[in-house]
Amino acid sequence: MQNFIKFETQSTAEKLIQSALQFKEKPFLQKELGKELRIGLIFLNPSLRTRVSTQIAAKNLGMEAIVFNIDKEGWALEFEEGVIMNENKAEHIKEAASVLGSYFDILAIRAFPTLTDKKQDMADKVIHQFIKYSQKPVVSLESSSRHPLQSLADMMSIKETWKNVSKPKIVLSWAPHVKALPHAVPNSFAEWTLGLGHDLTITQPQGYELEEQFTKGAEIEYDQEKAVADADFVYVKNWSSYHDYGKLPKVEGDWLLKDHQLKKGAKIMHCLPVRRNLELADELLDGNKSLVPLQAENRIYAAQAVLFEIISNMES
Ligand SMILES: NCCC[C@H](NC(=O)CCC(=O)O)C(=O)O
Ligand SMILES: NC(=O)OP(=O)(O)O
């Protein structure tokens, strides 16, 4: 594995989950591996979990991690090729990525979508420019289209929790929000669950269908109550419209999930940050159905498994 920007194969994903679970048992198992290596965590958007968990993961492997909030502390970046830079952008991605590539052994990038330019967002233009111009392995810390480190931690959390031999019923449920949010988390969640051979049902209001490349093979159920009634895991997340890109079509009914709609033993998941009592009710977040703290904790070991795999490939 050179770059980690999406789900690749079932066997790679399973290997990463196993490795993450092993690092959770023994975080310092490979504490010397990265001792002469440096990772740059480059943020174009805010973060709590991704930023801190990836720093801890790097430290557990003996690496130095430097965080750079490039959107606030760097020069304004130009991503277009061949333009005359006579407006407010002071530095081109060609120089920025190439210089950062010369400073670091691995680069990790967070670049949210515009939610206005669908083509650019779906092509993950920013992350691909970092790959092209840095010439270093790149890890996605959430791109326009996907959030693979989150999904790896989510798959690990499901694996740790589900002890039955039968397959769990997994539901991805749209939830209300006040803003237009990206599709990266639900896209990746669908990509990873289906890629690992799980059964997935997606419930969302009309107009909020996700891109089919991610959801092919999932059952779509517009009636949320029906979809969640017998679910073992309900992954709750808001996203804006994909087809009417970045818009917020009017929603009928109350999509805020209630504890009584779920069966006993069902688990609730969310990537965080969550808006309490808008996206998810206190009774669910604070109750025993919540896997949310486990998911957040597992972000460390998901990142550690990914960095371990990239470093192991660099050396061979
Ligand atoms: N990294 C996890 C989620 C990040 C982002 N959420 C947000 O922007 C929430 C913002 C707010 O609630 O104002 C998303 O949905 O992709
Ligand atoms: N879940 C997640 O990626 O959280 P942050 O946006 O805080 O990093």
Side-chain angles (χ1 to χ4, degrees), residues 62-81:
M63 299 179 84
E64 182 184 10
I66 293 180
V67 175
F68 181 27
N69 298 311
I70 199 168
D71 61 322
K72 296 190 186 69
E73 295 151 4
W75 300 102
L77 287 179
E78 176 62 66
F79 292 96
E80 293 306 317
E81 305 269 341

Side-chain angles (χ1 to χ4, degrees), residues 46-50 110 112-113 141-143 147 150 177-186 237-239 270-275 278-279 299:
S47 167
L48 186 154
R49 281 141 292 272
T50 305
R110 168 163 285 195
F112 283 180
L141 300 175
E142 186 172 342
S143 73
H147 195 0
Q150 181 65 51
H177 206 283
V178 283
K179 276 168 62 180
L181 292 192
H183 309 95
V185 171
K237 181 75 184 83
N238 170 267
W239 59 87
H270 192 285
C271 63
L272 298 177
V274 67
R275 299 225 186 185
L278 176 69
E279 279 181 276
R299 290 293 308 272

